[in-house]
């Protein structure tokens, strides 16, 4: 069986060493020493000033929206994981969807200005599949209309833009460290702010608003994460360079084949040092995609329709369907990609796809 993804598992003995320390200290959560160590190491690895470890990537988004004081309408992409848009609704704001660029699958900045109204307070854009958005164009619009920018950088661990971490852009970036992501802490995430005051506010917010045992600064929530999750993150951080290299090799192996098929990949931003987090294939039609998917499944290979359906199709969302997203979300498939996926398995995936594409072409 070849699944869409498998979590990276560090050597068990290395995790057990951290458990030993946890049992000695009997300190399990509430900004413990391992959480602080992980935050410091992540800041150093990513070369960023502020990073707060939280319980997941969804609460990271919710806290970011809240901390920046976003209200009313928020412009966002319909092509992302559901959490990008549901967080906006959960925070009492209205998502206004703007269509994507057909080649990058990220929000199309050329369409943003037309969607701005008197009640627009911000833009939440996803760097889809780890590929950075056109951040220069987005920032220009944000500056012109005085809007805040949040990047859902959930897929982006390890991606760089113009030589620095992609997390170091916008007002706030958020990331998920869920087990399915390239770098994970089982469950977890982080909020990265570029301003000291916002970072301070978020550090209070993730801990019920506590400023000390008996005093509070503003409304908060429980967004903390535990020593056990931090320990997993510390173990895996030692392997991150290996993870990124293996992912790149696997990605390029798929890419070599797929340039010949009646399908295409995505266009990576030229200023990006991409993390090769996902391998999406955009087939020429939904029929071809479904055919390929069924054949792969018959061979016990499980790709995923990621992202489908598009978010403006959800029954609690309003507004029209957006043509490009509606069309593309119906014919994309992400191929299996994970640390211990071996060359033979990839060849099997490739040959099943190739057979099907041929059949369809000559039908
Ligand atoms: C995974 C993901 C999230 C949610 O992260 P969790 O840690 O699972 O809460 C949000 N946005 C995107 C784009 C994601 O892929």
């Amino acid at each position: 069986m070849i699944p869409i993804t498998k979590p990276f598992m560090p050597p068990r003995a290395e995790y057990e060493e951290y458990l030993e320390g946890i049992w000695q200290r009997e300190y399990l959560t509430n900004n413990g020493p391992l959480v602080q160590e992980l935050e410091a190491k992540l800041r150093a690895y990513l070369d960023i000033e502020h990073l707060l470890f939280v319980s997941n990537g969804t609460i990271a988004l919710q806290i970011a929206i809240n901390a920046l004081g976003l209200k009313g309408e928020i412009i966002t992409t319909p092509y992302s994981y559901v959490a990008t848009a549901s967080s906006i609704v959960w925070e009492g704001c209205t998502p206004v969807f703007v269509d994507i660029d057909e080649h990058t699958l990220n929000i199309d900045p050329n369409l943003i200005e037309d969607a701005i109204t008197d009640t627009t307070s911000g833009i939440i854009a996803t760097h889809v599949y780890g590929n950075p958005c056109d951040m220069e164009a987005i920032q220009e619009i944000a500056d012109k209309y005085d809007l805040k920018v949040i990047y859902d950088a959930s897929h982006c661990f390890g991606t760089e833009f113009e030589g620095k971490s992609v997390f170091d852009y916008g007002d706030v970036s958020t990331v998920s460290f869920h087990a399915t992501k390239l770098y994970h802490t089982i469950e977890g995430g982080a909020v990265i702010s570029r301003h000291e005051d916002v970072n301070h506010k978020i550090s209070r917010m993730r801990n019920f608003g506590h400023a000390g045992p008996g005093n509070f600064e503003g409304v908060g929530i429980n967004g903390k994460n535990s020593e056990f999750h931090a320990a997993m993150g510390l173990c895996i951080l030692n392997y991150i360079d290996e993870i990124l290299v293996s992912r790149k090799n696997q990605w390029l192996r798929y890419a070599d084949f797929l340039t010949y098929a009646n399908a295409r990949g995505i266009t990576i931003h030229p200023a990006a040092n991409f993390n090769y987090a996902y391998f999406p294939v955009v087939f020429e039609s939904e029929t071809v995609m479904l055919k390929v998917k069924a054949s792969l499944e018959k061979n016990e290979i499980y790709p995923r329709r990621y992202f489908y359906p598009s978010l403006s199709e959800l029954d609690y969302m309003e507004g029209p369907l957006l043509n490009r997203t509606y069309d593309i979300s119906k014919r994309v498939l992400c191929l299996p990609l994970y640390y211990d996926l071996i060359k033979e398995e990839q060849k099997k995936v490739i040959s099943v796809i190739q057979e099907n594409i041929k059949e369809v072409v000559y039908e």
Side-chain angles (χ1 to χ4, degrees):
M1 206 265 273
I2 305 177
I4 175 72
T5 191
K6 273 192 209 173
F8 178 84
M9 298 300 285
R12 190 165 154 168
E14 292 173 21
Y15 191 71
E16 281 169 359
E17 256 176 61
Y18 282 108
L19 294 182
E20 199 49 50
I22 294 174
W23 254 258
Q24 277 167 21
R25 289 185 296 274
E26 297 184 344
Y27 194 112
L28 307 185
T29 187
N30 286 357
N31 207 25
L34 296 181
V35 166
Q36 291 182 36
E37 186 183 335
L38 178 65
E39 287 182 341
K41 286 192 169 155
L42 287 172
R43 282 193 282 260
Y45 177 77
L46 298 163
D47 195 18
I48 49 178
E49 213 177 328
H50 307 297
L51 176 147
L52 294 164
F53 185 42
V54 294
S55 41
N56 56 64
T58 306
I59 201 83
L61 280 165
Q62 289 171 214
I63 290 176
I65 293 167
N66 210 300
L68 292 172
L70 301 191
K71 297 259 167 345
E73 294 180 354
I74 298 176
I75 289 175
T76 191
T77 175
Y79 193 72
S80 184
Y81 185 59
V82 66
T84 313
S86 61
S87 300
I88 295 173
V89 176
W90 196 268
E91 288 303 314
C93 299
T94 305
V96 174
F97 295 107
V98 164
D99 214 351
I100 55 173
D101 176 278
E102 284 169 292
H103 302 287
T104 64
L105 310 193
N106 285 325
I107 194 167
D108 184 347
N110 296 315
L111 304 175
I112 291 179
E113 266 190 280
D114 276 350
I116 295 173
T117 70
D118 290 345
T119 68
T120 307
S121 60
I123 300 170
I124 302 186
T126 301
H127 301 305
V128 176
Y129 303 130
N131 178 32
C133 295
D134 185 347
M135 295 190 284
E136 207 178 312
I138 293 173
Q139 196 58 54
E140 215 169 274
I141 297 165
D143 291 343
K144 184 168 164 192
Y145 293 92
D146 196 21
L147 305 176
K148 301 286 188 204
V149 179
I150 297 173
Y151 287 113
D152 181 344
S154 287
H155 298 171
C156 289
F157 198 90
T159 294
E160 290 175 343
F161 189 81
E162 292 182 337
K164 58 178 191 168
S165 171
V166 77
F167 298 153
D168 210 5
Y169 290 85
D171 292 284
V172 172
S173 287
T174 64
V175 59
S176 166
F177 298 150
H178 184 256
T180 53
K181 305 308 203 251
L182 178 149
Y183 170 76
H184 78 91
T185 62
I186 311 169
E187 288 277 358
V191 191
I192 298 107
S193 326
R194 296 216 297 136
H195 315 290
E196 167 58 36
D197 55 335
V198 176
N199 185 65
H200 178 84
K201 198 168 172 185
I202 293 171
S203 73
R204 299 289 192 248
M205 272 188 174
R206 76 165 169 182
N207 185 26
F208 307 101
H210 270 295
N215 49 337
F216 295 89
E217 256 179 54
V219 183
I221 190 148
N222 184 356
K224 293 178 275 99
N225 212 332
S226 81
E227 293 292 279
F228 293 81
H229 295 83
M232 188 59 127
L234 285 164
C235 288
I236 298 178
L237 197 55
N238 290 330
Y239 294 91
I240 189 63
D241 291 333
E242 277 174 52
I243 293 172
L244 290 167
V245 166
S246 78
R247 194 64 62 107
K248 180 174 178 177
N249 292 336
Q250 294 165 341
W251 199 98
L252 293 175
R253 202 171 288 139
Y254 276 142
D256 273 352
F257 152 69
L258 282 156
T259 46
Y260 305 108
N262 58 343
R264 63 175 173 89
I266 55 165
T267 306
I268 306 299
H269 198 296
N273 188 2
F274 181 46
N275 67 353
Y276 302 92
Y278 297 85
F279 197 94
V281 182
V282 185
F283 290 93
E284 65 173 13
S285 67
E286 189 177 24
T287 314
V288 176
M289 186 279 293
L290 288 174
K291 195 163 183 206
V292 169
K293 182 170 177 279
S295 269
L296 287 167
E297 286 168 357
K298 221 186 288 164
N299 286 276
E300 298 194 324
I301 299 165
Y302 299 95
R304 188 156 167 210
R305 299 185 75 174
Y306 196 42
F307 305 108
Y308 176 82
S310 62
L311 301 176
S312 45
E313 290 172 69
L314 297 174
D315 58 12
Y316 57 85
M317 296 299 184
E318 280 169 22
L321 293 177
L322 297 164
N323 293 339
R324 292 182 206 152
T325 305
Y326 185 67
D327 168 45
I328 287 173
S329 64
K330 285 190 179 309
R331 50 195 178 94
V332 176
L333 212 51
C334 279
L335 302 187
L337 212 54
Y338 48 88
Y339 181 72
D340 42 14
L341 179 70
I342 58 171
K343 201 192 272 183
E344 284 64 35
E345 291 170 320
Q346 276 193 287
K347 281 187 180 160
K348 193 175 163 200
V349 176
I350 289 167
S351 74
V352 174
I353 295 176
Q354 216 157 7
E355 271 165 34
N356 274 277
I357 285 177
K358 263 193 223 143
E359 267 177 47
V360 171
V361 170
Y362 298 118
E363 235 167 24

